[in-house]
């Protein structure tokens, strides 16, 4: 791993890595990422965010921080989720730019020089367009269609197949940190922030242990956060629902009046009444659920609870050791 004890005139890149029990590959990941950035002529600092890992992983992270001055470890008080861990890492990043990458080796460290090259060309957001994914077919299929559905539903232009992996300039880091929303979707916030953006095609590697860090339920929850945070389309759907209800009411009323006036065969329409009630009731229930989802998010925002709690920060601990009086 590259050591940064000496002073350099080159740019500093902060590499933010959320970690959840991935201690077997952390040394290798940091070594390869450090070497890739060193070849690009930049310095790097690693901010490893322990998102509620077990004791073994936590101790390994602290050992990394003790042995390498360019490694800073943030240990969260519990598992707050990947999006909160990213925000925690960015809040401590001191670099001229920041790179977000996973700890499971699916984000290829060899692609980092391409990010730096585009950044030096003047681009302020460089995102990885992930190709050749190695996940299970169903997971690949869900990712594929989520990004295309999101593009239709949201006015924010999030590039298809672009996840967290990428580089953002210091100005973009500061802009994202100023956003106060609780339920976050980092790729959406990155696109919403604007600035000069470009994609770099990167092959999505196979996870080192074939055990996904995020469950299918967690991915669905993240997808729900993305859609409800960046789209009002779920509410707009009920203009269509109201139109359908009106058409059903007109059709049933016309049917009943026709037989009442012209055929004399009007029979109390138990079946038609039940069908109409069930359809309208189902639509109303769906509408209440969607409204409840937005209200719940407003409630969370009003509570103003922090997105994360840092239980231990090796960077602050070192600062206190150097300046025990706080001066």
């Amino acid at each position: 791993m590259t050591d940064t004890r000496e002073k350099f005139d080159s740019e500093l890149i902060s590499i933010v890595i959320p970690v959840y029990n991935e201690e077997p590959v952390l040394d290798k990941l940091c070594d390869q990422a450090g070497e890739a950035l060193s070849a690009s002529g930049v310095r790097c600092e690693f901010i490893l965010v322990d998102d509620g890992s077990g004791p073994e992983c936590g101790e390994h992270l602290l050992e990394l921080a003790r042995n390498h001055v360019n490694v800073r470890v943030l240990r969260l008080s519990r598992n707050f989720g990947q999006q909160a861990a990213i925000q925690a890492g960015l809040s401590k990043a001191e670099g001229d730019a920041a790179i977000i990458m996973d700890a499971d080796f699916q984000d290829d460290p060899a692609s980092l020089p391409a990010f730096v090259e585009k950044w030096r060309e003047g681009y302020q957001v460089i995102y990885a367009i992930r190709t050749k994914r190695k996940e299970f077919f169903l997971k690949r299929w869900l990712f594929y269609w989520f990004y295309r559905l999101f593009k239709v539903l949201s006015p924010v232009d999030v590039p298809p197949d672009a996840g967290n992996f990428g580089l953002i300039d210091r100005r973009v880091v500061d802009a994202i940190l100023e956003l106060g929303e609780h339920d976050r979707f980092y790729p959406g916030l990155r696109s919403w922030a604007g600035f000069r953006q470009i994609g770099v095609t990167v092959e999505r590697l196979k996870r080192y242990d074939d055990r996904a860090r995020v469950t299918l339920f967690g991915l669905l929850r993240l997808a729900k956060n993305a859609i409800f945070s960046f789209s009002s389309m779920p509410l707009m759907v009920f203009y269509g629902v109201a139109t359908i209800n009106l058409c059903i009411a007109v059709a049933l009323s016309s049917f009943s009046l026709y037989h009442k006036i012209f055929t004399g065969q009007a029979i109390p329409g138990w079946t038609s009444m039940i069908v109409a009630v069930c359809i309208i009731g189902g639509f109303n229930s769906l509408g209440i659920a969607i409204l409840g989802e937005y209200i719940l998010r407003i409630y969370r925002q009003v509570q103003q609870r922090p997105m994360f709690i840092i239980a231990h920060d090796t960077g602050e601990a070192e600062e206190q050791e150097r300046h025990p009086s706080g001066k």
Side-chain angles (χ1 to χ4, degrees):
M1 185 181 299
T2 304
D3 200 330
T4 56
R5 295 179 186 275
E6 300 180 7
K7 296 296 183 180
F8 294 88
D9 294 328
S10 56
E11 307 97 328
L12 175 64
I13 304 293
S14 300
I15 305 178
V16 177
I17 307 177
V19 178
Y20 185 70
N21 296 325
E22 284 113 349
E23 69 275 9
V25 293
L26 290 177
D27 294 79
K28 182 180 178 182
L29 177 64
C30 291
D31 283 339
Q32 292 191 10
E35 290 172 2
L37 289 177
S38 178
S40 296
V42 298
R43 295 176 293 145
C44 68
E45 65 167 356
F46 292 90
I47 302 178
L48 307 179
V49 185
D50 180 4
D51 189 22
S53 301
E56 185 176 349
C57 181
E59 183 55 38
H60 187 80
L61 287 168
L62 294 178
E63 186 68 20
L64 276 174
R66 285 191 290 266
N67 294 335
H68 303 280
V69 296
N70 62 338
V71 173
R72 182 174 187 173
V73 172
L74 308 179
R75 299 192 68 182
L76 304 187
S77 60
R78 64 171 176 85
N79 181 266
F80 285 89
Q82 186 187 49
Q83 300 299 306
I86 290 173
Q87 185 75 358
L90 290 177
S91 71
K92 300 298 182 179
E94 299 179 354
D96 301 295
I99 291 174
I100 309 297
M101 64 188 305
D102 292 340
D104 56 11
F105 247 102
Q106 289 189 282
D107 295 334
D108 189 0
S111 60
L112 300 185
F115 295 164
V116 175
E117 181 182 351
K118 292 297 182 183
W119 178 53
R120 285 172 168 167
E121 289 177 6
Y123 292 98
Q124 294 160 294
V125 174
I126 301 93
Y127 52 86
I129 302 173
R130 300 175 295 188
T131 62
K132 300 180 181 179
R133 304 185 69 110
K134 309 300 189 296
E135 295 98 343
F136 180 62
F137 168 77
L138 176 60
K139 194 172 182 180
R140 297 200 310 268
W141 185 84
L142 289 174
F143 273 120
Y144 178 87
W145 285 110
F146 162 72
Y147 280 106
R148 279 129 188 100
L149 176 63
F150 185 82
K151 193 173 184 66
V152 171
L153 295 180
S154 174
V156 178
D157 186 18
V158 176
D161 306 313
N164 298 326
F165 190 30
L167 179 149
I168 54 177
D169 184 75
R170 179 76 247 175
R171 291 187 62 191
V172 185
V173 172
D174 294 338
I176 290 177
L177 289 175
E178 289 177 1
L179 303 177
E181 58 195 85
H182 187 277
D183 297 303
R184 304 175 79 86
F185 177 57
Y186 173 74
L189 295 175
R190 182 181 61 196
S191 296
W192 180 89
F195 299 96
R196 292 190 65 194
Q197 305 200 7
I198 192 172
V200 174
T201 301
V202 175
E203 180 177 350
R204 182 73 164 168
L205 303 181
K206 186 177 181 181
R207 183 179 165 87
Y208 75 97
D209 60 357
D210 292 328
R211 296 178 59 187
R213 178 182 185 272
V214 183
T215 64
L216 180 60
F217 176 77
L219 291 174
L220 292 175
R221 183 172 58 186
L222 180 61
K224 185 180 70 170
N225 281 343
I227 291 173
F228 280 95
S229 296
F230 288 93
S231 175
S232 60
M233 186 61 69
L235 291 174
M236 299 297 102
V237 165
F238 279 85
Y239 284 108
V241 170
T243 302
I244 292 172
N245 283 340
L246 178 62
C247 291
I248 291 173
V250 170
L252 289 175
S253 299
S254 299
F255 177 81
S256 300
L257 287 173
Y258 172 80
H259 286 287
K260 179 71 174 179
I261 298 173
F262 297 103
T263 67
Q265 296 178 355
I267 300 173
W270 183 85
T271 302
S272 60
M273 180 183 68
I274 293 299
V275 170
V277 169
C278 290
I279 292 175
I280 295 173
F283 283 145
N284 286 337
S285 298
L286 179 60
I288 292 171
I290 291 176
L291 288 172
E293 183 70 36
Y294 280 102
I295 292 171
L296 175 61
R297 290 165 185 276
I298 295 171
Y299 174 66
R300 288 175 182 167
Q301 197 72 26
V302 170
Q303 284 179 313
Q304 295 186 343
R305 292 177 183 171
M307 285 186 60
F308 55 85
I309 299 174
I310 298 176
H312 181 69
D313 180 353
T314 59
E316 291 183 356
E318 290 176 3
E319 186 67 24
Q320 290 176 0
E321 288 179 3
R322 289 194 295 268
H323 305 284
S325 64
K327 298 181 180 180

